Amino acid sequence: MRLARMTQIAVVLLVAGCAGTNRERPGASPERDIISSDEIEAANQPTAYDVIKKLRANFLSYRGRTSLSGTSPAEPVVFLDEQVYGPLASLRTISASHVETIRMYRTWEAQTKFGPGLMGGVIAVYTRSQ
């Protein structure tokens, strides 16, 4: 009787342990990788850099050495409306009032969307339609 009860408990725990959850790893959801126009407006900051620093400072983080040759940037590259714009410092030249959304593309996403050599990822800034 006791063995049967322990077996039942083990089966319940095994099933519960194998059941998936709807939670993804922190920071992986698309919402965490996108700064919306509402957030940008509410942040009340002068530049895209300041908005990111205030709302998603992790976008600006140094990624460490990304290749053995040391030729790939360790920081994200900035793209403005799907075109290469420059290093992180170039975000300081983009007025927040002109920005619709900002999105962080992790390494694997950046290389798929924008091509190779973006080991630090991409911060894509999309401007408002004029």
Side-chain angles (χ1 to χ4, degrees), residues 9-119:
I9 292 171
V11 169
V12 168
L13 291 174
L14 179 63
V15 169
C18 291
T21 65
N22 289 331
R23 291 182 288 157
E24 295 182 25
R25 72 177 200 280
S29 71
E31 295 79 27
R32 287 300 306 156
D33 291 339
I34 297 173
I35 302 174
S36 70
S37 57
D38 291 339
E39 291 176 289
I40 293 167
E41 191 174 314
N44 195 29
Q45 297 295 312
T47 69
Y49 183 90
D50 296 315
V51 168
I52 294 169
K53 187 174 179 182
K54 181 175 183 177
L55 299 177
R56 306 277 199 294
N58 62 310
F59 283 17
L60 305 172
S61 64
Y62 176 74
R63 305 290 192 267
R65 189 171 175 181
T66 57
S67 71
L68 293 175
S69 65
T71 58
S72 295
E75 294 178 335
V77 174
V78 176
F79 275 63
L80 181 64
D81 295 326
E82 305 280 328
Q83 300 295 314
V84 176
Y85 191 69
L88 282 180
S90 66
L91 287 167
R92 294 179 193 275
T93 67
I94 303 171
S95 173
S97 64
H98 295 116
V99 177
E100 180 68 27
T101 58
I102 301 170
R103 174 156 187 213
M104 176 69 197
Y105 289 94
R106 307 293 172 191
T107 302
W108 61 92
E109 298 169 309
Q111 292 200 10
T112 300
K113 184 165 178 72
F114 300 105
L118 300 166
M119 297 303 291

